């Protein structure tokens, strides 16, 4: 039995200075990089990362976004905003991240389980092929893509835990609602969420 770590969307556009910044994103990027450095190959047999990778996602991009289903333009494939945040990128470049899964090329994709690696392998298939049964989910944002990824992990048959101290949410009320959703879905929760600003 293997445990995997799923790092969700630690990208420039979701951190301070990006097109849809989440307060505390850069700090979480640093914390996650430290977590990966300390635990890859030990606590976690595999570490993967997801990336929003939008080419033409239709109504997901909007000039009048509702910030639930539609958002300002972000994480456009090939643009600086879609790149991993520089505090986290060294973990990827240095080989501590085993695979990257791209999601949302032509859709409003939130869950990492909707993504695939460069060979086209879906995240769930990649994990199963390596005997992973338990996953921890961290990243940006607790109340959006972390939430969707954790819920889909359970739907795909994995045991899941969200590490709140390595995740950051957009707003207190939606973050609290996401934590309630985790409990109802049987997802373990550890740590205390940093309070959204």
């Amino acid at each position: 039995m293997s445990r995997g770590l799923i790092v969700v969307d630690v990208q420039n556009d979701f951190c301070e200075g990006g097109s849809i910044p989440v307060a505390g994103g850069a700090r979480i990027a640093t914390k996650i990089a430290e977590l990966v450095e300390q635990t890859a190959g030990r606590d976690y047999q595999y570490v993967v990362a997801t990336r929003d990778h939008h080419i033409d996602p239709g109504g997901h991009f909007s000039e009048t976004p509702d910030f639930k289903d539609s958002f300002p333009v972000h994480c456009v494939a090939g643009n600086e905003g879609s790149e991993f945040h520089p505090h986290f990128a060294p973990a990827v470049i240095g080989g501590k991240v085993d695979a990257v899964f791209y999601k949302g090329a032509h859709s409003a994709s939130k869950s990492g389980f909707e993504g695939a690696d460069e060979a086209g392998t879906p995240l769930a298939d990649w994990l199963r092929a390596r005997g992973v049964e338990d996953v921890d989910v961290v990243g940006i944002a607790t109340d959006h893509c972390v939430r969707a990824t954790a819920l889909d992990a359970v739907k795909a048959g994995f045991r899941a835990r969200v590490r709140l101290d390595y995740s950051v949410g957009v707003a207190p009320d939606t973050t609290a609602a996401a934590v309630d959703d985790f409990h109802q879905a049987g997802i373990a929760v550890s740590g205390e969420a940093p309070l959204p600003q």
Side-chain angles (χ1 to χ4, degrees):
M1 182 181 69
S2 295
R3 177 176 290 276
L5 176 67
I6 303 173
V7 179
V8 177
D9 296 1
V10 182
Q11 295 169 262
N12 288 325
D13 270 347
F14 299 136
C15 295
E16 293 82 351
S19 64
I20 350 177
V22 179
R27 179 176 47 80
I28 284 297
T30 300
K31 284 191 68 175
I32 292 172
E34 292 169 352
L35 175 69
V36 170
E37 185 66 34
Q38 294 163 6
T39 60
R42 295 192 291 276
D43 298 354
Y44 298 109
Q45 285 70 46
Y46 298 99
V47 177
V48 301
T50 71
R51 280 179 65 170
D52 251 17
H53 185 76
H54 296 305
I55 296 170
D56 182 15
H60 186 53
F61 285 172
S62 173
E63 292 182 5
T64 55
D66 63 13
F67 292 95
K68 181 180 178 184
D69 298 309
S70 61
F71 295 85
V73 174
H74 63 278
C75 296
V76 174
N79 286 3
E80 184 66 23
S82 74
E83 298 297 323
F84 288 119
H85 189 275
H87 294 179
F88 174 66
V92 180
I93 297 165
K96 295 288 187 180
V97 173
D98 297 294
V100 176
F101 293 83
Y102 300 84
K103 60 188 178 68
H106 300 282
S107 65
S109 177
K110 289 189 177 182
S111 169
F113 284 88
E114 296 174 298
D117 65 9
E118 289 185 340
T121 305
L123 175 55
D125 293 350
W126 192 96
L127 293 170
R128 286 192 197 102
R130 287 155 182 81
V132 175
E133 296 180 5
D134 295 85
V135 295
D136 283 358
V137 184
V138 301
I140 305 172
T142 310
D143 38 355
H144 288 277
C145 295
V146 169
R147 174 187 175 277
T149 300
L151 291 173
D152 276 359
V154 170
K155 289 176 187 172
F158 298 94
R159 288 184 292 268
R161 173 175 67 168
V162 173
R163 298 188 66 170
L164 294 176
D165 44 344
Y166 292 95
S167 305
V168 64
V170 173
D173 56 342
T174 51
T175 299
V179 172
D180 287 342
D181 290 342
F182 299 150
H183 290 309
Q184 290 178 19
I187 297 166
V189 176
S190 71
E192 290 191 18
L195 289 175
Q197 301 300 312

